[in-house]
Amino acid sequence: MVENLTGTFRGLWQAFIGKRVWKSIALFFALIGPGIITSNVDNDAGGITTYSLAGSEYGLTLLWTLIPITGALIIIQEMCARMGVVSGKGLSDLIRERFGARITFYLMIVLFLTNLGNTISEFAGVAASMELFGVSRHISVPISAAIVWWLVVKGNYKSVEKVFLLACVFYLSYIISGFMGKPDWHAIGTSFLKPTVRLDTGWLTMAVGVIGTTIAPWMQFYLQSSVVDKGLKAEDYQYTRMDVIIGSVTVNVVAFFIIMLCAVTLFQNGIRIESAKDAAQALAPLAGEYASWLFAFGLLNASLFAASILPISTAYTICEAFGWESSLNRKFLEAPQFYGLYSLMVFLGAGIILLPDMPLITIMYYSQVINGAILPVILVFMLLLVNDRKIMREYTNSLAMNIVSWLTVAILTLLSLTMIGFALFSK
Amino acid sequence: MAVNQEPQVFLYLSELLGRKVVDSEGRPFGRILDLTGNIGEIYPPVTDILLRSATDGKIVLFPWRRLAEAGDRLVAHPVQPGDIRAPALRTGELFLKETLLDKQVVDTDGAKIRRVNDLQFLQSQKILYLVHVDVGFHGLLRRVGLERPINFLFRVLFDYTLTDQLISWKFVQPVSSPDLLRLTVAQNRLAQLHPADLADIIEDLDIHQRAAVFRSLDVETAAETLEETDPKIQVSLIEALDTANASDIIEEMSLSEATDLLGDLPKDKAEGILREMEKDVAQDVKELLAHPEEKAGGLMTTAFFSFAPERTVREAMETIRREAEDMDLIYYLYVLDSEDHILGVLSLRELIVAAPEKTLSELMDTRIVTVGIEERKGRIAEDFAKYGMLAMPVVDEDNRLKGVILFKNLLEVVLPKLGR
């Protein structure tokens, strides 16, 4: 009787939803990961700091920029994912084969430096957020470095990916704390409908900063390698594209909530902050203890997440370019360059935070500048590669895609150069 | 390395690329873009240079043997009308820069994938032979143009001289395009590798190279290599083949490995392959496929020897000699009654030392250890550890012998969990 009933139920259910739909959903969940993870790592310590500053200093006026940023992010990541699926090779591999040893060599040096700068800021984020919970950085930073090292060296891609996807879920804490700020949705809606551009240096610098922190050079390398690692095939490409789009949208939803929360609380009360830590602290009296707590937790999660990915992604990228053994399945002596680079990144990243009197703000600032300088180069390489028939066969960009992508790259290049200009000029 | 006796006759590709060539009157003739080599020979001789003509900007081929070195200049002399030709390759030829420089190759001596930083040529009687591939850091620095400053730094700071890391061309298998594998099929160097190394290399290559390398292997090597490959990659390699080729390769694999692989394949593909396979092998595979993979039934193979108790040693030896080739296990012989109940076991060693006319029932050991067909991996591993056997017989609930589990197959299940 019971069996009969469940049987009927199942029949009804299947008729209702259709088998094909189920199959696609199952396939989708098996194939997603790289896009969502890459985008979310991008909301790292540096990102959260920039969004907090943007909201607290300029209120809601920068919110609308998230819409074009989402578009640009999708366009760029889609090309990367497509290159990974079609060529089966990482980005640095393709750059080396197409553009030769010399360019690759210098590009990798610059990439190493900028990624090291980013890693330092991730560990700074760990230190700051744990200090909000009353834990000294001399305890939190070494422990987190050890966790990061252990996770990557002892885990395999599948289990690590699951941990990472879980970390993505924790970004919800920003959305919840956003609602705790009791936002005025009417004013927020207006800010999107009537976008404003202010022509003062501070506002423009901040706008460029928000874009720069969302579209970073290392992401392209990481996304393409993880697509390759996952062994995705050209037939499954539609799911990868969905993955990339969902990732790009969620990252900006999180950014929206951070900017919005800081705008409706800190900005409206005229509180000036200098870091994400200040933001979390200042939130307590305005949005409640829990909002502050969630904000700090979000920062910790984001920093740890990015600190796990940046060093390993850098080591992979560089070893791939130079043809060094790069696999976590090898022993240290079989892949000395790989483990050497990886450990160097983790130890320098965590170690520099612990040194007294380290000019952290200066370090992060220069790493942002290098980020901005190297991004156009990588984007142009990407566009040349994605249009190379030898590599991409029939999957090169369409004319429309080329117009849109070259335009995006041109604008991003202009903005990056502007940022460098501002940075050097305002010094 | 032993190559440094006469350094002056060695040339690097990076030193040749971009060099200007002049004609006999000293007028610019062109600039070297690439070299062609004939890889049909053990050490490929350079046949032509690809150059951009200085007069009309066209890209043409010009024979290497017409070049002479005068001081630091390369002189094309004499230029005859038939020498200059359109850039089309002859059979066995390839563009050395385009197909090798900065690309991945397989080093069959070290069983590794390397990236080519430079190519080293040996000049002998005006002919340039490709002899070494440079895969070292020093070669990379030469390409980047930092050879001198970094060498100086290393000497001053660490009292260390960087040396070239060269691989003899004999041990190099280019993989950058499927054509390369086809061209060198007569002397496919990948066959020099152990299948387990080959499997590691295949796992490290990109999807297209993987398929191309795998296709270039003969059926037997392909089967051995496939057994050592990661299950996910096994599936993608087999999916890329047509059913006929796939079934040829899978037939060569051991029964239990073949079963695991077919179990991982999409249903349609697996059924197609089973139809193409020899009837009796396909039947065995189908029986094994019915068991869940993580239990005894899914780990076991049915390719082993069993005999009736009244058979003699001589008869058993004959059977073994005839059929051992197709068996997964030959070290243990199981003695069964007419209903497949297991009566005893004896080892190949006991069989060899026994008198030929003795019957198996006289020799067999009746203290038998078995596992049930539903037994889980963990328990089976414990039994292996306790009894120290090479293979464990699997019986059903009526104590009938259904198959044997090889220690090797269980090792693949258990080993990854050790030391973690």
Side-chain angles (χ1 to χ4, degrees), chain B residues 128-145:
Chain B
L128 206 55
Y129 295 97
L130 171 57
V131 285
H132 289 116
V133 164
D134 188 331
V135 295
F137 188 58
H138 196 230
L140 182 67
L141 290 175
R142 186 181 323 105
R143 291 282 307 287
V144 175

Side-chain angles (χ1 to χ4, degrees), chain B residues 84-136:
Chain B
I84 300 174
R85 60 189 184 98
L89 292 173
R90 289 180 281 238
T91 335
E93 281 186 345
L94 55 83
F95 287 115
L96 297 178
K97 170 181 177 261
E98 191 185 299
T99 46
L100 291 172
L101 197 65
D102 293 320
K103 304 292 192 288
Q104 290 183 321
V105 293
V106 175
D107 162 12
T108 59
D109 190 32
K112 272 193 187 121
I113 297 174
R114 314 302 291 256
R115 198 175 281 284
V116 178
N117 287 327
D118 216 335
L119 299 178
Q120 195 188 42
F121 300 98
L122 175 69
Q123 192 157 25
S124 160
Q125 295 165 345
K126 288 221 68 182
I127 302 177
L128 206 55
Y129 295 97
L130 171 57
V131 285
H132 289 116
V133 164
D134 188 331
V135 295

